[in-house]
Amino acid sequence: MIINVLMPKDWNTLAEFTNQEYQQLFNRVTRASQVLTTDAEPEVGPTPKEVIWTRNKTKLYRYISDQPKKHKVPLLFVYALINKPYILDLTKGGSLIEFLVERGFDVYLLDWGSPGYEDRHMKLDDYIMDYIPRAVRKVLRKSQADEISILGYCMGGTITSMFAALHPELPIRNLIFMTSPFNFENSGAYGAMLDERYFDIDKVVGTLGVIPPDMIDFGNKMINPMATNLGPFVSLVDRADNEKFITSFKLLRKWLNDGILFPGEAYRQWIRDFYQKNKLIKGEMVIRGRKVKLENIKANVLNLAGKNDLIAPPHQVEALMDAISSEDKQFKVLPVGHTSITYGGQATKITYPTISDWLSERSN
C-alpha cells in the first residue's frame, strides 16, 4: 500500500532530486579541497609603497599615490606585535590603507618585521621609547608637516596610548584606536587562561625565548574553539560555489597563518603587566623608569570597538575614555568583530568612512 502512494514517475523525480543534491555537495567538497590544497596563495598588500626608514627588522613605509594630498596632517599606522600588518592593506577594494590614500591622506605604516631568536630581549620599552618616536619624527620630516595623526590597531593601539602618554612633547594632533584593549580586569577566556596561578609566564619565556605564533593563535582560537577551528571550513564547503567568498576565505587564511615570533621579554610584559596585573588603566605601568599617565593624552581621540569582538570586547576598549584628558574624544561601537573591523563588507561600508570622515575634519 505504501508503494502505491508514489507512482513510478514520482520515484524518478525523487531520485533525480537526490542525485542533484549529492552532485552539488560533491562539487562543493571538491572545490573546497582545491582551495585548501592546490589553489595559489592570493597576492596581498597591493597599495604601492616605499621604504623610508629601517631599524633592525622594522621598516617604515610611505604609501605612494598619484592622487594629490588633500590633508596636511600625515597618518601613521602602528600595528601589533602579532601577525603581519597587511591585514590593513589586504586586497584592492578591501584595504583601509588604500581607502585613505585615495581620499588624499599621506599614509605611513610602521611594520615591525619578523623578529628572530636574537630579538628575544626586546621589550615594549624599546618599541615605545626608541622605534615609534623615531618613526614619528621621520614622518614629520618626510611629509614636511607640523603635526601627525596615529592609528593603532589591536595591541598596536595599546602601545600607541603609552607612547603618546610618555611623549607629550611630540605634536600628535589625532589618535585613532581600533579594537585596542586598555582595561584587562574582565578579560573573559583570556583572563582564565592567563591567570598567574596557572600560567607561569617566567617559565614560558625562560624556556622558549621567543613565543611561536602557533601558540598565540591557539590561545585566540580557544576563546571560541568550535567557531574558530571548525566554523571556517564548514562555511567553505557550504559556500564553495561562491567565488567571492572563496577569495575572501583565502585572503584571511593567508593572513591568519602568516604569524610571526613574539619577542620573549615583550611577551612577558604583555601578559604580566596587562592581563595579570592590569597596570595600564590603574596608572601603575612603568616604561624605562617612567610611569605611564594616560591623562597626559590631550590629542583628539576616536576610539573604535567591535560589538562582536571576543579578543578586545567593547568594555575593555571604552575604559580609555575616562582616563585621558582630551576634550575632543569619541567612542563608537561598530557592528563588527576584531578582524572584520578592518576587512570585509562591514569594514568597507562602516569602518572606512567612519575613520575617513572623522580624520578629514581634523587634518587640515
Side-chain angles (χ1 to χ4, degrees), residues 189-206:
Y190 275 134
M193 289 188 288
L194 300 173
D195 190 305
E196 59 187 327
R197 293 174 295 177
Y198 317 115
F199 189 81
D200 189 336
I201 184 60
D202 292 328
K203 184 173 291 187
V204 170
V205 174

Side-chain angles (χ1 to χ4, degrees), residues 130-201:
D130 297 331
Y131 286 71
I132 303 180
R134 294 189 184 186
V136 165
R137 293 186 177 98
K138 185 66 177 180
V139 169
L140 290 170
R141 286 196 300 270
K142 189 71 175 180
S143 62
Q144 298 182 337
D146 297 323
E147 295 177 291
I148 190 172
S149 299
I150 305 176
L151 187 154
Y153 179 27
C154 183
M155 180 189 183
T158 313
I159 293 173
T160 296
S161 73
M162 293 187 284
F163 158 75
L166 290 169
H167 294 86
E169 78 282 0
L170 292 176
I172 304 171
R173 182 188 285 193
N174 304 304
L175 290 169
I176 301 173
F177 301 104
M178 200 162 64
T179 62
S180 300
F182 299 100
N183 187 344
F184 294 77
E185 184 176 2
N186 298 310
S187 51
Y190 275 134
M193 289 188 288
L194 300 173
D195 190 305
E196 59 187 327
R197 293 174 295 177
Y198 317 115
F199 189 81
D200 189 336
I201 184 60

Side-chain angles (χ1 to χ4, degrees), residues 240-270:
D241 53 0
N242 183 334
E243 286 301 319
K244 184 177 180 180
F245 171 82
I246 286 177
T247 298
S248 292
F249 178 90
K250 290 194 292 187
L251 285 164
L252 285 174
R253 180 175 169 81
K254 175 180 173 63
W255 175 72
L256 288 169
N257 291 337
D258 203 6
I260 60 175
L261 294 170
F262 199 133
E265 288 305 318
Y267 182 74
R268 192 199 308 269
Q269 288 176 288
W270 183 241

Side-chain angles (χ1 to χ4, degrees), residues 183-328:
N183 187 344
F184 294 77
E185 184 176 2
N186 298 310
S187 51
Y190 275 134
M193 289 188 288
L194 300 173
D195 190 305
E196 59 187 327
R197 293 174 295 177
Y198 317 115
F199 189 81
D200 189 336
I201 184 60
D202 292 328
K203 184 173 291 187
V204 170
V205 174
T207 302
L208 298 175
V210 289
I211 310 304
D214 290 346
M215 176 176 166
I216 296 171
D217 183 55
F218 177 78
N220 289 336
K221 289 179 176 177
M222 285 304 293
I223 298 177
N224 191 349
M226 291 298 290
T228 54
N229 285 286
L230 297 179
F233 302 102
V234 172
S235 296
L236 175 61
V237 172
D238 189 49
R239 303 176 66 181
D241 53 0
N242 183 334
E243 286 301 319
K244 184 177 180 180
F245 171 82
I246 286 177
T247 298
S248 292
F249 178 90
K250 290 194 292 187
L251 285 164
L252 285 174
R253 180 175 169 81
K254 175 180 173 63
W255 175 72
L256 288 169
N257 291 337
D258 203 6
I260 60 175
L261 294 170
F262 199 133
E265 288 305 318
Y267 182 74
R268 192 199 308 269
Q269 288 176 288
W270 183 241
I271 300 303
R272 172 171 289 155
D273 293 348
F274 293 86
Y275 281 98
Q276 294 181 347
K277 302 295 184 181
N278 198 21
K279 289 184 177 182
L280 179 61
I281 205 68
K282 291 180 180 179
E284 300 172 358
M285 188 69 194
V286 175
I287 297 293
R288 284 210 185 144
R290 296 175 57 188
K291 186 169 288 188
V292 178
K293 298 179 180 180
L294 291 175
E295 61 265 29
N296 287 344
I297 295 177
K298 299 178 181 179
N300 306 321
V301 168
L302 175 63
N303 192 14
L304 301 177
K307 181 180 179 181
N308 308 314
D309 191 345
L310 299 179
I311 294 177
H315 72 272
Q316 288 188 276
V317 178
E318 186 179 14
L320 176 73
M321 306 309 286
D322 290 333
I324 59 179
S325 301
S326 307
E327 294 183 5
D328 181 352

